[in-house]
Amino acid sequence: MKPVAFEHATAATLDEARALLTTGAKPMAGGQSLGPMLNLRLVRPERLVDIKRVPGLRGFTETETHLTLGAATTHAEIEDGRVPDVTNGLMRHVAGGIAYRAVRNRGTLGGSLAHADPAADWPSVMAALGATILTSGGRRLPADGFLRAPFTTALEPGEIITAVEIPRQPPGARWGYCKINRKIGEFAKAIGIATPTRLLAGAVEGPPTLLDRVEDIPARLPWLDPAAQRLAAIAVTRAQAMRDS
Amino acid sequence: MGKQGVGAPLPRREDDRFLRGRGRYVADIAMAGMREVAFLRSPVAHGIVRGVRAPQGSMVFTMADLDGVAPIRAPSALPGFRRTDQWPLANGRVRQVGEPIAMVVAATRAEAEDILDAITLDIEELPPATDMLAHRAGPPIHEGWPDNVVLHSLVEDDISGVQAPIVVRRRLRTARQHMAPLEGRGVVARWDTRLSQLEMHTSSQMVHVTKTGLAECLGLPESSVRIISPDVGGGFGYKGILLQEEVAIGWLARRLEGTPLRWIEDRREGLAGQANCREHHYDITVHADHDGTILALDCEAHVDVGAYSAYPFSACLEGAQIGSILPGPYVVPRYRCRTWSVATNKPPILPYRGVARTGVCYALETTLDAVARAGGLDPIAVRLRNLPGPADMPYTNVTKKIFDSGDYPEALRRAAEAMDREGFAQRQREARDNGRLIGQGFAIFCEQGAHGTSVYHGWGIPFVPGAEPCQARLTPDGGLELRVGVHSHGQGMETTLAQVAHEILGVPVERVWLIHGDTALTPYSTGTWGSRCAVMAGGAVAEACTELRERLLPIGRHLLQAPEAVFEDGAVRAGAASVSVAEMARVFHRAPQNLTEAMQARGLECTAGHKTMRDTGTFSYAAHAVEVEVDPATGHVDLLRYVIVEDGGVLLNPLVADGQVLGGTAQGIGTALFEEMPYDAAGQPLASTFADYMLPGASDVPDIEILHMETPSPISRFGQKGIGESGAIGPPAAIVNAINDAIAHLGREVTDIPATPERVLAALAHPGRPGRGGAA
Ligand SMILES: Cc1cc2nc3c(=O)[nH]c(=O)nc-3n(C[C@H](O)[C@H](O)[C@H](O)COP(=O)(O)OP(=O)(O)OC[C@H]3O[C@@H](n4cnc5c(N)ncnc54)[C@H](O)[C@@H]3O)c2cc1C
C-alpha cells in the first residue's frame, strides 16, 4: 500500500496551480480521499499539485444574500464555526458528522465535491441548498447536477473548484438532516435533507436528487433497488419530521 | 503490602510511554543498510502456479529458491486429524487469496511494490471450496484427501430416550471475522555473523514458540535463532501464530547475511489474506422440561478452518473446543455434539480472543432464550434452573471440566437486578405502544484460563505448556529484575507482575523491571495466550520471589545478629532493628566479606517454575446484560445500557482487570453487530479496507458498568483467575438476546451474526422462520 512514485508541487497562486495541472497531474487538497486511492494504487498521477495554500481557495466573503467559502475550507473549520454559517446550523451539524476529527481537520469542502462520492455529505447538502460551484475556468456551476455520476463531475480536465457560493437561508428557516449509516462518522447509505422549500435524497449510488414529495423516489431514483428506495424514503421522511418538529 | 501489592488499583506503569508515543514497535526499528521485503500474493482462492516471471535485474525469490526450508506443520494427535503443509512461499498450489507466492527485496517498500506490479504471474485456476457446509464432502482442496474434513470429533451420549416437553432447535451462523490489532504483524531480521544467529524482531505474543517453530522450518539449531518482540500493539491471538513471512524472511536474512530486512504488514495484507477467525455454523437442539430444566443438549457444529492448520494451535482448536465447552456453565445431564472442521479456500482460522467460546456462548445462550420463549418462561429463571450453585463447587461438568469456584446464580441475579427487570416489563410495553422496540438480553458463561499440561497434552499439538518460569534477580542497588517468557501486549504486566513481586518482597514497584519478549534474555515459555498470564506468570513471579526471600532471610538474620528475625514489609526485622532488601542486596554483591561462605554461594538470582494446584484451569465467569433499541424501519440496533458482573477471583489490579473486560467487550460488540469478512463464491474477500470491514468505534461502545465479585480460585497462588478473553465472549449472545426480546412479540428472531441492519430487517420481514430450522 505505497503509491507509485510521483512528483509533488505546491501551488502558491491560482495561476501557478493552473500551470502545474497539466495532463497526468492531479490537484490535492486535504488528501483524505486521494491519499487512500494513491496508497491502493487506484490512481497513479505523475504529479500532485497541493492547492490547499492557494490564497484564493481559502477564506470567505459574505454578502446580504450569499456566503462564498473557499474550496479549501476544512470540515473542521465549518464544524467549529470558524467560518460564518448562513444555514441556521445545517452546515455545522453536517460537518460534525463527517468521519472523525482527524479527517475533518484536513478534508475540505472542495475536495469532497470534486471527489464526487455519492455517499459523501457535501454533494447532497450543496445541492439541497441550491449552492453554486465556482471554478478556476471562471464557470459557475449549480451544485444540483454537478455530480453527474459516481466519481464524475461537471469539471473539465485541469479545472479546479475555487469556491462555493451558498445562498443565505432566511432567518429561522428550519431544516432536517438524516444520515443513515452503520455508525457515526461512516459514509452514508442514505441521506435525506429537508429545507423549507426543498427535499433531497442523497447517498444513493447516483446523483443527489431533488424531490417534490417522498413518494417521487421510485420514479426519480429508478437506479435504486426497492430496499435502497425504502431506505431513501426513510431518510427523507425523517428529515422532514426533524424540520417540522 | 496494601498500597502496591496484590489488589492495589495502580495505574499502569507502561501507559506513560504508550500515551506519550514513546513505545517502540517493530516498525520503529531501523538498521543501517536495511532493505524492504514485499510479498507477491495469490490473487485467486485456488490454483496452480504455472510461472512467476520477474522483471530483469530484480531480486525476486520463490519457493524453488528456498532450499532446505520445510513447510509449517501444525498437526494434532486427535484421531483422524489431517495434517496440512503450509509452505512459506507457494509450492505449486495456492489455496487462498493472499497466500505468499514470491518475495521481493528493494530499497523501499514502494519500490518493492513497483516490482510486484511488474511480475507476470501465470496461475491455472481451480474451483474453490468456499462454504463449509456445501464443500465439506469435496472436491478436496488438499491432494490425497477424500473430502475437506480436517477433523471430525464426537462427544456422544445416548440421547434417544429423552422425552422432553420443550424441544427447541436452531440453526445459527457466526461470521468469519478479522482480528484487527492496532499494530499489524511485522518483521525486522538480520543474520548476526558474530553469533552465527538469526536475530528476528517480530510482533509476537510467544517468542519462544516462534523460535522453536522457525528453527524447525529453517533447519537451524535453536541457539541460532533469537526472537525479540518489542512493544506489541495488540495481539488477540493473531500474534501467536508462526507466519509464512517469518520463515521466508528468516531464510533470506541468512542468505543475504549482512543485509537487515524489514517487512511491515499493511492493513490490506492483514485484512484480505490473514488474521481470519470465528466462522462457525451450529445446528443446535435443547431438550428441556416444562420449567426450563435442560434434559439434553444436542449439536452439530461446523467450523470453516480455511486452507491450512496454523502453527502452533492447529486447525483442530476451534472444532474440538466446541465439543468440550458447548455446555457452558450449565448442568447438562445428557450431551451429544458432533463437530466438523472443514478446510476451505480461505485464510486459516486463527484463535481470536475468546476462541470457540464466543460462538459457543452465542449458540447456547440464544437457544436458551428460545427455550424460554417456547415455554413461556423468564430467561433468567431458565438459567437459574440450570446453573450449578455455590454449594456444588468445585463442579465437574458433563465434559469433565472442573469449575473451581464461584456463585454463578448470584452473578446472574446481580445483573438482572442492575437492569431493573421488574420495571423493564412495563417500560417495554409502553415503548411498544409508542412504536418503539426495546429489549433486554442476558448471557452467562465461564472462561477456562491458565489450563496446563494435562489439558494440552490431550490435544497433541506442537507445544504443551508446563510449569511457567520466572527468573528473579536482585541488583546491587536493590532493584529487582524479573525475567518472564510471556509477553505483554496490552495486559499491563509491567505493572501487575511488579505488584506480585512487591507483595512478596516489598520492593517498591518503581524498582521492579520486567524483562520480556526476548528469547535470549528470558526463560522458555509458551507465551501469552489462553488467559494465562495473571495466573501462571503471576504465580511464577511469586514463586521466584519467595525463593529469593528465603535466601535473604538468613542474610538478614546474620547481619542483624538476630536468629529470630523475620521477613516483613520489605526487610528482615527483629524488634526495632531491620535490614532492608536493598541493603542485603548491596552487602551480598559488594561486601560479601560480611557474609558466611554458605550465604555467598547461593546467589540472589533464581529461577522458579509455577504450576497451579490442579492444571485443569481457573474458571472465571461473567454475566452480561444489555438493553437495546431496534429501529424497525432501518434495522439499526442501539445499545442503551450494558452491565457486566464479572468474577475473576482475586484481582491483581482491578483497574487492569476492568481494562481487559472493557477492551474485550468492545471487540464482542464488533462480533455482535459489525464485523464480517465476507467471501464471494470465487473465494475473493469482499472487505479489504476498513471502509468495508466495519469495526466498532468509540461512539458504538456504551458506558459499560462492571460489577465485580471476587471468589478466590482454590488452585491459583493468590486466588486469581484468568479473565483476559472474557469480555469478548458474552456480547454477541447478550445483544442478540436483547434484539430478539425486542422483536419476539412479532414472532421474529435474528439467527446470524453480526446482526447488521440488513439481517435485522430480514428477520423482521420473515415471520415464522426463526433460524430457518424452525422451532419444534
Ligand atoms: C475514514 C474516512 C471517513 C470519511 N467519512 C466521510 C463521511 O462520512 N462523509 C463525507 O462526506 N466524507 C467522508 N470522508 C471523505 C472526506 O470528507 C474527504 O475529506 C473528502 O472526501 C475529500 O476532501 P479532501 O480535501 O481530503 O480531498 P483530496 O483527497 O485531496 O482530493 C479528493 C479528490 O478531489 C480532487 N480535488 C481536491 N480538491 C479539489 C479542488 N479544489 N478542485 C478540483 N478537484 C479537487 C483531487 O484531485 C482528488 O481527485 C471520509 C474519509 C475518510 C478517510
Side-chain angles (χ1 to χ4, degrees):
Chain A
M1 285 219 298
K2 298 284 180 211
V4 172
F6 55 80
E7 195 188 300
H8 182 268
T10 304
T13 63
L14 196 53
D15 282 341
E16 227 176 272
R18 273 202 214 95
L20 285 163
L21 283 167
T22 48
T23 315
K26 247 188 169 313
M28 177 157 89
Q32 297 305 292
S33 296
L34 191 52
M37 292 198 302
L38 287 167
N39 286 343
L40 293 167
R41 299 195 167 196
L42 293 174
V43 291
R44 300 171 177 226
E46 282 157 31
R47 180 192 295 151
L48 281 189
V49 181
D50 187 340
I51 55 169
K52 212 172 172 172
R53 284 168 195 84
V54 172
L57 269 60
R58 302 275 311 148
F60 60 89
T61 52
E62 222 181 334
T63 68
E64 292 269 293
T65 53
H66 289 88
L67 168 72
T68 305
L69 276 182
T73 304
T74 64
H75 311 323
E77 285 169 323
I78 296 170
E79 176 187 17
D80 296 349
R82 281 181 275 158
V83 294
D85 172 44
V86 294
T87 63
N88 299 319
L90 170 62
M91 283 182 65
R92 288 184 70 175
H93 172 83
V94 169
I98 295 175
Y100 45 89
R101 183 71 194 194
V103 173
R104 301 199 287 273
N105 281 339
R106 286 173 177 263
T108 67
L109 175 62
S112 176
L113 293 168
H115 186 55
D117 183 345
D121 292 79
W122 293 132
S124 287
V125 172
M126 291 305 138
L129 289 171
T132 304
I133 290 165
L134 313 184
T135 78
S136 58
R139 298 200 294 161
R140 297 172 54 86
L141 303 166
D144 176 25
F146 179 74
L147 193 156
R148 293 261 163 92
F151 307 101
T152 310
T153 68
L155 290 174
E156 301 286 344
E159 188 179 25
I160 60 174
I161 301 174
T162 52
V164 183
E165 189 184 279
I166 300 153
R168 188 182 288 279
Q169 301 295 300
R174 297 185 59 83
W175 49 267
Y177 190 76
C178 174
K179 179 177 179 181
I180 296 179
N181 53 0
R182 276 299 295 286
K183 52 177 210 183
I184 290 177
E186 218 38 65
F187 280 102
K189 289 186 162 180
I191 289 175
I193 306 177
T195 66
T197 51
R198 292 164 179 242
L199 292 180
L200 178 137
V204 284
E205 298 153 35
T209 306
L210 288 167
L211 308 168
D212 297 316
R213 304 170 309 145
V214 179
E215 293 73 25
D216 296 344
I217 285 175
R220 304 286 294 278
L221 303 149
W223 60 85
L224 291 183
D225 65 31
Q229 287 180 345
R230 243 191 91 239
L231 211 59
I234 293 166
V236 176
T237 307
R238 289 187 176 177
Q240 253 177 322
M242 181 176 174
R243 178 194 64 191
D244 300 339
S245 68
Chain B
M1 307 280 137
K3 278 204 344 248
Q4 288 198 321
V6 166
L10 295 191
R12 304 198 317 173
R13 305 164 73 201
E14 44 272 76
D15 285 346
D16 185 72
R17 76 172 183 278
F18 291 149
L19 295 177
R20 292 177 204 276
R22 287 179 174 155
R24 197 171 149 83
Y25 302 86
V26 169
D28 296 318
I29 297 169
M31 293 184 184
M34 188 167 76
R35 291 169 72 79
E36 296 275 346
V37 173
F39 289 88
L40 178 71
R41 296 176 182 279
S42 176
V44 303
H46 196 190
I48 299 170
V49 180
R50 295 292 179 202
V52 176
R53 270 191 309 285
Q56 278 276 314
S58 58
M59 271 178 101
V60 178
F61 303 88
T62 64
M63 195 59 223
D65 301 304
L66 271 59
D67 39 281
V69 176
I72 298 172
R73 286 186 183 140
S76 155
L78 293 173
F81 181 85
R82 291 208 186 89
R83 196 188 74 188
T84 62
D85 285 347
Q86 187 184 30
W87 293 91
L89 299 173
N91 192 9
R93 281 238 215 165
V94 284
R95 294 187 183 81
Q96 61 158 105
V97 170
E99 183 164 352
I101 293 174
M103 174 168 53
V104 168
V105 185
T108 65
R109 173 71 181 242
E111 285 167 81
E113 290 185 20
D114 290 346
I115 298 171
L116 293 184
D117 272 357
I119 293 177
T120 319
L121 176 63
D122 182 7
I123 290 193
E124 180 189 328
E125 278 197 63
L126 298 171
T130 53
D131 185 279
M132 57 183 148
L133 302 181
H135 296 116
R136 185 175 102 187
I141 68 164
H142 290 282
E143 294 91 331
W145 290 22
D147 52 32
N148 284 317
V149 178
V150 176
L151 179 73
H152 176 44
S153 65
L154 293 170
V155 183
E156 194 92 46
D157 271 352
D158 180 14
I159 58 168
S160 56
V162 176
Q163 292 288 333
I166 303 175
V167 180
V168 170
R169 178 179 177 200
R170 288 291 180 275
R171 288 190 191 147
L172 310 160
R173 203 183 256 276
T174 65
R176 186 166 265 261
Q177 263 183 259
H178 166 76
M179 50 238 281
L182 217 48
E183 180 206 25
R185 296 290 306 243
V187 169
V188 172
R190 69 181 185 114
W191 184 262
D192 185 323
T193 52
R194 177 176 73 88
L195 300 171
S196 205
Q197 189 182 57
L198 173 66
E199 178 190 296
M200 182 177 288
H201 304 254
T202 183
S203 188
S204 169
Q205 305 171 210
M206 37 210 299
V207 286
H208 295 277
V209 172
T210 299
K211 172 173 124 162
T212 298
L214 201 56
E216 277 174 11
C217 287
L218 295 176
L220 291 171
E222 289 207 27
S223 56
S224 288
V225 180
R226 176 181 182 184
I227 303 290
I228 301 166
S229 187
D231 282 331
V232 175
F236 313 119
Y238 183 30
K239 307 212 174 139
I241 298 301
L242 178 63
L243 291 183
Q244 292 147 296
E245 289 84 350
E246 288 171 320
V247 178
I249 293 169
W251 173 86
L252 188 60
R254 188 180 183 199
R255 162 84 181 265
L256 303 178
E257 69 178 36
T259 304
L261 299 171
R262 175 172 109 136
W263 165 72
I264 303 300
E265 175 191 86
D266 68 33
R267 205 45 91 173
R268 205 171 195 209
E269 290 181 290
L271 264 162
Q274 322 242 30
N276 277 202
C277 53
R278 290 250 200 282
E279 190 175 5
H280 296 185
H281 181 276
Y282 295 89
D283 185 341
I284 178 172
T285 306
V286 171
H287 303 255
D289 213 336
H290 291 292
D291 62 1
T293 304
I294 298 172
L295 300 175
L297 173 60
D298 189 13
C299 182
E300 288 191 356
H302 286 78
V303 179
D304 180 334
V305 302
Y308 301 103
S309 179
Y311 184 96
F313 290 99
S314 95
C316 79
L317 186 72
E318 299 256 335
Q321 261 204 15
I322 288 174
S324 71
I325 63 177
L326 182 69
Y330 298 110
V331 177
V332 174
R334 304 261 189 99
Y335 176 51
R336 182 172 67 174
C337 184
R338 290 168 282 189
T339 67
W340 287 267
S341 301
V342 180
T344 61
N345 292 109
K346 300 179 196 168
I349 200 145
L350 308 179
Y352 177 39
R353 196 174 200 174
V355 197
R357 270 179 220 304
T358 304
V360 157
C361 175
Y362 174 70
L364 182 60
E365 291 290 283
T366 54
T367 308
L368 277 186
D369 264 32
V371 166
R373 282 194 294 276
L377 303 164
D378 175 52
I380 306 284
V382 168
R383 287 178 173 80
L384 290 175
R385 284 242 163 268
N386 294 293
L387 290 169
D392 301 320
M393 295 294 165
Y395 175 74
T396 303
N397 84 344
V398 66
T399 56
K400 306 282 177 286
K401 300 278 176 197
I402 306 172
F403 303 168
D404 52 348
S405 66
D407 188 343
Y408 294 23
E410 179 61 15
L412 190 60
R413 278 191 294 264
R414 287 193 195 178
E417 192 181 316
M419 297 300 284
D420 179 29
R421 286 296 281 170
E422 316 285 274
F424 177 69
Q426 169 81 11
R427 280 199 290 126
Q428 189 178 41
R429 269 194 306 278
E430 285 168 10
R432 280 178 190 164
D433 291 344
N434 294 319
R436 289 175 56 222
L437 301 176
I438 59 173
Q440 284 194 346
F442 293 81
I444 182 162
F445 58 90
C446 55
E447 181 195 358
Q448 187 180 18
H451 29 326
T453 315
S454 66
V455 178
Y456 280 88
H457 166 64
W459 300 77
I461 58 174
F463 75 88
V464 175
E468 186 62 30
C470 168
Q471 216 174 69
R473 176 197 282 177
L474 278 170
T475 56
D477 62 353
L480 176 68
E481 293 177 5
L482 300 174
R483 291 155 197 269
V484 291
V486 297
H487 194 23
S488 191
H489 41 89
Q491 294 85 349
M493 283 192 262
E494 290 170 37
T495 305
T496 52
L497 295 185
Q499 287 180 253
V500 169
H502 176 82
E503 179 77 24
I504 308 288
L505 282 175
V507 174
V509 158
E510 307 74 55
R511 300 300 318 277
V512 181
W513 186 29
L514 186 73
I515 297 162
H516 52 164
D518 187 338
T519 56
L521 301 178
T522 64
Y524 196 93
S525 158
T526 57
T528 299
W529 53 275
S531 298
R532 65 193 298 276
C533 290
V535 174
M536 298 306 297
V541 168
E543 214 89 53
C545 291
T546 304
E547 167 82 32
L548 270 185
R549 200 172 62 186
E550 279 159 17
R551 293 184 188 189
L552 288 167
L553 184 60
I555 295 176
R557 285 176 173 164
H558 179 75
L559 294 177
L560 290 173
Q561 291 298 306
E564 76 290 356
V566 292
F567 195 106
E568 217 177 70
D569 273 346
V572 174
R573 298 172 194 275
S578 70
V579 51
S580 68
V581 169
E583 174 61 11
M584 291 183 274
R586 189 194 66 77
V587 171
F588 177 87
H589 288 290
R590 304 180 63 176
Q593 67 277 11
N594 295 337
L595 302 178
T596 66
E597 292 292 323
M599 286 169 192
Q600 291 180 40
R602 279 188 79 201
L604 290 184
E605 174 174 339
C606 62
T607 304
H610 176 74
K611 275 198 150 190
T612 50
M613 279 160 60
R614 195 174 53 226
D615 71 2
T616 49
T618 59
F619 281 77
S620 63
Y621 57 97
H624 282 218
V626 58
E627 188 170 318
V628 304
E629 172 154 7
V630 177
D631 181 335
T634 63
H636 200 94
V637 175
D638 244 348
L639 304 180
L640 304 177
R641 234 191 122 196
Y642 207 113
V643 172
I644 297 174
V645 181
E646 177 84 39
D647 191 341
V650 173
L651 303 177
L652 298 182
N653 178 329
L655 294 180
V656 169
D658 282 357
Q660 289 289 306
V661 173
L662 292 175
T665 302
Q667 289 175 310
I669 289 170
T671 303
L673 294 175
F674 295 101
E675 298 185 41
E676 181 166 20
M677 174 55 75
Y679 281 79
D680 69 10
Q684 290 293 333
L686 300 180
S688 69
T689 71
F690 283 148
D692 307 308
Y693 188 84
M694 201 71 42
L695 289 163
S699 47
D700 307 299
V701 180
D703 282 334
I704 295 163
E705 303 155 55
I706 305 176
L707 310 174
H708 287 290
M709 293 169 61
E710 287 198 58
T711 314
S713 168
I715 65 170
S716 66
R717 178 64 174 75
F718 299 101
Q720 75 273 39
K721 298 182 175 191
I723 54 152
E725 304 174 58
S726 167
I729 297 170
I735 290 170
V736 170
N737 278 341
I739 295 171
N740 287 343
D741 182 49
I743 64 178
H745 64 296
L746 306 170
R748 317 294 158 91
E749 216 176 271
V750 168
T751 56
D752 296 355
I753 46 172
T756 55
E758 291 76 14
R759 287 204 176 93
V760 172
L761 284 180
L764 284 169
H766 293 288
R769 33 167 287 187
R772 286 156 308 169

